Amino acid sequence: MPSFNCVVDLCLYPVGTESVSGSDFVARVEKRIHESGLKSSLHSAGTTIEGPWDQVMSLVGKLHEHCHKENFKRIHSHIRVCSVIEDECSAYYR
Amino acid sequence: MPSFNCVVDLCLYPVGTESVSGSDFVARVEKRIHESGLKSSLHSAGTTIEGPWDQVMSLVGKLHEHCHKENFKRIHSHIRVCSVIEDECSAYYR
Amino acid sequence: MPSFNCVVDLCLYPVGTESVSGSDFVARVEKRIHESGLKSSLHSAGTTIEGPWDQVMSLVGKLHEHCHKENFKRIHSHIRVCSVIEDECSAYYR
Amino acid sequence: MPSFNCVVDLCLYPVGTESVSGSDFVARVEKRIHESGLKSSLHSAGTTIEGPWDQVMSLVGKLHEHCHKENFKRIHSHIRVCSVIEDECSAYYR
C-alpha cells in the first residue's frame, strides 16, 4: 500500500436511514477521526484529513466498517484527494 | 430556474495551467464569491455557499466564465449539494 | 444565468429514506433527465449530461424539487463539471 | 487495512500541466487499472472499480504515485464510494 503524503477531504453519509439530520452521525465519525491521531479539520461540508495514503485510507475504510457495525446499511462517501510530487502535499485551497 | 434554498460546497480548479499552486487562483475566485453577497465560508477543501439554487448556480457558472475570460482554458469543479424539503436547508455537516 | 456549454456528471440520492436500494429512485430521475431533451448517458456511478449551463442546472434543480415533491425529505447530489474556453466542451474522460 | 467490498468511482487528473486534453492521460491510467485485474468500467466521467477496499485503495494510491513518477507534479482525484452492510456491494446506480 503506497504511503505518500496526501490531503483528503471526506464527506461520508448513511443512505437508507430514517433520520435526515446528520449531527449525531457526524459526531460519531468525527470522534473516530480524532482518535486516529491524523491531522484533520471539520468544516461545513466534510472533514479534511492529512497524512500518508495508507493511514488515511485505512481510517476511511474503518469508518465505513464502523458504521456498518453500528447498523447503518449503506454508506456513501465522497472524497477529494490531492497529492504533489514532493513528499509534503499542501491543500490547493490553502 | 428553481429557487429552493440549498447548501453547495464548491471546489473549482484550472486544468492545463503551468502552476501547481492554487493560492492565486483561489484568491480570485473567493473575491468573486464574496462580491456576490451570498453567504459563504472558505475552508481547507473548497467553499461552502448557501442561498437560492438559481443565485448559487448563476454564481458558479459566472466563476467558470470569468476564469475562461482570464484565459484559463479548462475549468473543473466538484460540487456537493444538499437540499431539504423545508425551505431552509442546513448543511449535513453542521 | 450563464449559458456556456458544459459537461456535468451527476450523482443524486435521497438521505433519510428507509430503502437502501437505488434502482427505483434512479429510474425516476433518469426519466426526468431523458424528458429534458438534453444529451445524457447513464453509467455505473451517475449520469453525464451535456448542454448549456443554464439548461443543465435548471434540470438539476428541478430534479431536487421533483424529489422533494415526491416526499424525499433530504436530497444530496455530487456533481463533476468541466468547461473549456471554446464553446464546445468535451469530457476529460473521452 | 479493511477489506470489505466496495464500489468506487474514480476521476483522476493532473493539475499544472500544459495540456488541456485528457485522452493520453486517461489512457495511461486506464492501462494500469486494467492491469490490476480488478473489475472496472470506464465511462464518460471516470472509471468505476469494484473490489475489496484494501485492493481498490492500493490501486488508487499507486495511480497517484505512478503519475508523479511520470512527472505530473500535482494529481487530484475525486472518488465516490459506496459500501453496504452485506459483503457484496452493488452500485446505487445499477
Side-chain angles (χ1 to χ4, degrees), chain C residues 39-52:
Chain C
K39 189 176 167 186
S40 70
S41 62
L42 177 65
H43 58 74
S44 45
T47 306
T48 305
I49 308 168
E50 297 179 53

Side-chain angles (χ1 to χ4, degrees), chain D residues 1-73:
Chain D
M1 177 72 60
S3 62
F4 60 89
N5 282 295
C6 59
V7 177
V8 167
D9 191 61
L10 174 67
C11 177
L12 186 141
Y13 52 87
V15 172
T17 54
E18 277 183 61
S19 172
V20 296
S21 164
S23 52
D24 282 0
F25 183 80
V26 171
R28 288 189 216 202
V29 168
E30 275 305 297
K31 185 171 176 290
R32 293 262 154 173
I33 294 172
H34 186 73
E35 286 168 0
S36 75
L38 290 170
K39 189 176 167 187
S40 70
S41 62
L42 177 66
H43 58 74
S44 46
T47 306
T48 306
I49 307 169
E50 296 179 53
W53 177 261
D54 53 350
Q55 292 181 33
V56 174
M57 286 304 162
S58 177
L59 171 61
V60 177
K62 282 173 186 164
L63 295 174
H64 273 252
E65 282 193 328
H66 175 67
C67 293
H68 291 316
K69 273 177 200 150
E70 298 225 340
N71 227 23
F72 291 100
K73 286 175 186 158

Side-chain angles (χ1 to χ4, degrees), chain B residues 31-90:
Chain B
K31 186 171 176 290
R32 292 263 155 172
I33 294 173
H34 186 74
E35 286 169 359
S36 75
L38 290 169
K39 189 176 168 187
S40 70
S41 62
L42 178 66
H43 58 74
S44 46
T47 306
T48 306
I49 308 169
E50 297 179 53
W53 177 260
D54 53 349
Q55 291 181 32
V56 174
M57 286 304 162
S58 177
L59 171 60
V60 177
K62 281 173 187 164
L63 295 175
H64 273 253
E65 282 192 328
H66 175 65
C67 293
H68 291 317
K69 273 177 201 151
E70 298 223 342
N71 226 22
F72 291 100
K73 285 175 187 158
R74 176 180 277 275
I75 299 291
H76 283 195
S77 56
H78 291 84
I79 305 175
R80 297 170 181 158
V81 181
C82 71
S83 68
V84 295
I85 207 166
E86 297 85 15
D87 198 44
E88 284 305 318
C89 181
S90 64

